[in-house]
Amino acid sequence: MVRPIRPALLNDRLMLTLPTYLDVAAAAERIAGKAHKTPVMTSRTADEELGAKIFFKCENFQRMGAFKFRGAMNALSQFDDKQRRGGVVAFSSGNHAQAIALSAKLLGMPATIVMPLDAPAVKIAATKGYGGNVVMYDRYTVDREQIGRELAEKHGMTLIPPYDHPHVIAGQGTAVKELIEEVGELDALFVCLGGGGLLAGSALAARQLSPHCKIYGVEPRAGNDGQQSFRSGSIVHIDTPATIADGAQTQHLGQHTFPIIQRDVDDIFTATDTELVACMRFFAERMKMVVEPTGCLAFAAARAMPDMLKGKRVGVIISGGNVDIQRFGQFLTGD
Ligand SMILES: *Cc1c(COP(=O)(O)O)cnc(C)c1O
């Protein structure tokens, strides 16, 4: 059932390092007992609205509040002794930072998180709370690639990127593996899309476990580089998009994520900020859940196409729930 990757998309090195379903299965064993097996929730209101059966995989209930713990834990668990001593370095002011800091703490290795000076105070505090050593830099004057190289070279740290890494992709795929193993085969699966780690991993799992399932990625409408890349056949770069979906403000897909998405995903849709807010309200009012704006992307797209989904069994990934509670209130009241 694995469709071949178009050779033009790949060089030999990538061909060797692209993860497969076997890597997702190995990741699931590796993170078992460390990551939560998150609940699958249903809603009669959602089912009636769409005339379909919707299964929400709730990664807002994952450790540190998002699926990113899966990929981070899978990657750090595979460090050798030398790498463990040197520790991990990551660039992030968002969920990846917290995922790396928590995974490193659980595995007893040092973590350095490089954040821009203007990162939100709550995110800095959360990362420090998980034991991460936070290094700040001025994003307008300093090249972060250079900071990374220096830390890696001088201190023997290993850089783990937020999405463009085979172990990260394989770890993220474990959420959909759990979903399909719990509820059975699906007709369609909606997954939010930033750099594509979650979508690529999900596609590996779904293609194997539910071969006829249609797999859809969903991006913010303001930053549809993934859709453009998917349709044009090469990675499109854009400026940082203005959207409330801060987990999907990526500027381009990855070298590892793009070929998997190109091969296994059926289409990529977009959702507007207004649609995301409507979904945040739905999750809060109807399902009593706090979901961050990015976590609403998948359901927002599904909701917009009831005709296509009528009578279908549909998986929807809720990717995370980390939103400042005051901002959350402002989103819901429209302030
Ligand atoms: C990182 C993140 C995404 C996007 O994931 P990618 O693997 O970069 O596509 C979506 N939702 C949340 C909550 C995230 O933290």
Side-chain angles (χ1 to χ4, degrees):
M1 191 56 217
V2 175
R3 284 180 256 156
I5 291 170
R6 297 225 313 267
L9 293 172
L10 290 173
N11 61 34
D12 292 345
R13 190 185 65 79
L14 284 175
M15 190 75 93
L16 290 173
T17 56
L18 281 187
T20 68
Y21 174 72
L22 292 179
D23 298 301
V24 179
E29 282 186 25
R30 217 172 270 125
I31 69 173
K34 297 182 181 114
H36 293 318
K37 193 167 175 287
T38 51
V40 177
M41 311 252 277
T42 56
S43 155
R44 267 202 215 187
T45 314
D47 288 357
E48 276 167 23
E49 183 181 317
L50 288 172
K53 186 78 204 145
I54 315 287
F55 300 97
F56 295 99
K57 177 65 169 169
C58 295
E59 287 296 296
N60 50 321
F61 296 130
Q62 185 51 264
R63 295 191 74 167
M64 54 63 55
F67 71 90
K68 286 225 173 53
F69 181 71
R70 296 174 182 269
M73 196 65 191
N74 186 47
L76 269 54
S77 298
Q78 294 178 74
F79 278 21
D80 62 24
D81 286 345
K82 187 160 169 268
Q83 287 177 306
R84 279 173 192 260
R85 279 194 301 277
V88 60
V89 58
F91 293 94
S92 171
S93 53
N95 288 332
H96 181 58
Q98 293 168 59
I100 290 287
L102 177 59
S103 302
K105 179 175 151 173
L106 294 173
L107 293 167
M109 67 172 89
T112 300
I113 312 297
V114 185
M115 288 187 173
L117 277 168
D118 52 356
V122 285
K123 304 259 174 163
I124 299 169
T127 306
K128 286 185 175 164
Y130 287 127
N133 167 33
V134 175
V135 171
M136 313 290 283
Y137 75 105
D138 181 350
R139 65 165 131 188
Y140 302 103
T141 59
V142 183
D143 174 22
R144 63 175 227 179
E145 301 289 324
Q146 195 182 333
I147 304 178
R149 269 196 305 275
E150 277 177 23
L151 287 168
E153 278 167 23
K154 272 197 204 143
H155 306 285
M157 295 176 186
T158 303
L159 178 72
I160 296 295
Y163 55 86
D164 202 12
H165 189 293
H167 299 169
V168 172
I169 295 168
Q172 317 306 31
T174 59
V176 162
K177 179 175 184 290
E178 285 175 11
L179 170 64
I180 297 172
E181 285 173 351
E182 182 170 335
V183 307
E185 293 202 25
L186 298 168
D187 299 309
L189 174 69
F190 290 79
V191 182
C192 56
L193 171 60
L198 182 62
L199 179 58
S202 299
L204 292 175
R207 273 285 156 266
Q208 176 74 27
L209 301 173
S210 185
H212 302 293
C213 179
K214 295 283 187 195
I215 303 168
Y216 302 119
V218 187
E219 282 181 309
R221 177 126 345 137
N224 72 333
D225 60 289
Q227 188 179 54
Q228 292 180 46
S229 305
F230 183 79
R231 291 178 183 175
S232 73
S234 61
I235 299 174
V236 171
H237 291 241
I238 58 167
D239 290 337
T240 303
T243 167
I244 59 170
D246 55 344
Q249 279 179 312
T250 38
Q251 292 170 271
H252 55 86
L253 299 179
Q255 300 289 321
H256 297 82
T257 57
F258 177 61
I260 297 171
I261 290 169
Q262 186 81 344
R263 182 191 61 192
D264 287 340
V265 169
D266 291 282
D267 207 350
I268 294 179
F269 303 123
T270 63
T272 64
D273 283 2
T274 308
E275 289 169 324
L276 297 181
V277 169
C279 288
M280 286 173 87
R281 178 184 292 279
F282 176 87
F283 287 133
E285 275 180 354
R286 295 296 179 158
M287 297 179 74
K288 320 303 166 199
M289 294 196 295
V290 175
V291 180
E292 63 183 278
T294 318
C296 294
L297 279 165
F299 186 48
R303 257 183 137 175
M305 46 191 80
D307 292 346
M308 188 178 95
L309 300 179
K310 204 162 196 57
K312 299 274 162 68
R313 292 167 51 82
V314 181
V316 168
I317 309 299
I318 297 176
S319 59
N322 292 330
V323 52
D324 181 273
I325 209 69
Q326 209 152 347
R327 268 199 94 204
F328 184 72
Q330 287 163 357
F331 283 136
L332 298 194
T333 54
D335 290 352

